Amino acid sequence: MDILAALQANDKISHVPVDQLQWLIDISEVKSFSKGEPLFIRGTESTHMYIILKGKFRIWLGEANNTRELGRSVPGDITGILPYSRTKSSLAFSAA
């Protein structure tokens, strides 16, 4: 996958200059997740920003037998800890 092309096609960051997108690529890690593997877990420290390039992630709140889906992250979505975020820990669960 051409990561630079994927970022340039993302309407949320398509306006960002190429050298800045390349910097983001250079300091980032591309990760793949298996179905059911968590992206984040409620109550754990938030330490990463994620740009979804491929696939979907379900986001939900759950306690005991009461689970409520909040939404899904799809390609192009940006989630996790964002610049200037005051978030310290995940408020929900998310998995592939």
Side-chain angles (χ1 to χ4, degrees), residues 32-49:
S32 296
F33 292 82
S34 300
K35 185 172 179 144
E37 185 176 356
L39 181 63
F40 48 83
I41 298 170
R42 183 178 180 186
T44 59
E45 183 181 12
S46 296
T47 58
H48 293 83
M49 178 180 81

Side-chain angles (χ1 to χ4, degrees), residues 9-84:
N10 184 326
D11 63 343
K12 295 172 183 78
I13 56 175
S14 60
H15 64 282
V16 175
V18 171
D19 62 321
Q20 291 178 23
L21 292 175
Q22 187 60 54
W23 172 84
L24 180 62
I25 292 167
D26 293 344
I27 65 156
S28 297
E29 174 185 357
V30 175
K31 290 188 73 170
S32 296
F33 292 82
S34 300
K35 185 172 179 144
E37 185 176 356
L39 181 63
F40 48 83
I41 298 170
R42 183 178 180 186
T44 59
E45 183 181 12
S46 296
T47 58
H48 293 83
M49 178 180 81
Y50 300 95
I51 300 174
I52 310 301
L53 299 174
K54 208 165 94 167
K56 296 178 185 174
F57 287 87
R58 180 176 167 240
I59 304 164
W60 75 93
L61 283 174
E63 303 218 5
N65 293 328
N66 187 14
T67 300
R68 180 172 55 113
E69 186 167 306
L70 300 175
R72 294 182 183 250
S73 292
V74 297
D77 285 350
I78 301 172
T79 189
I81 193 161
L82 304 173
Y84 307 107

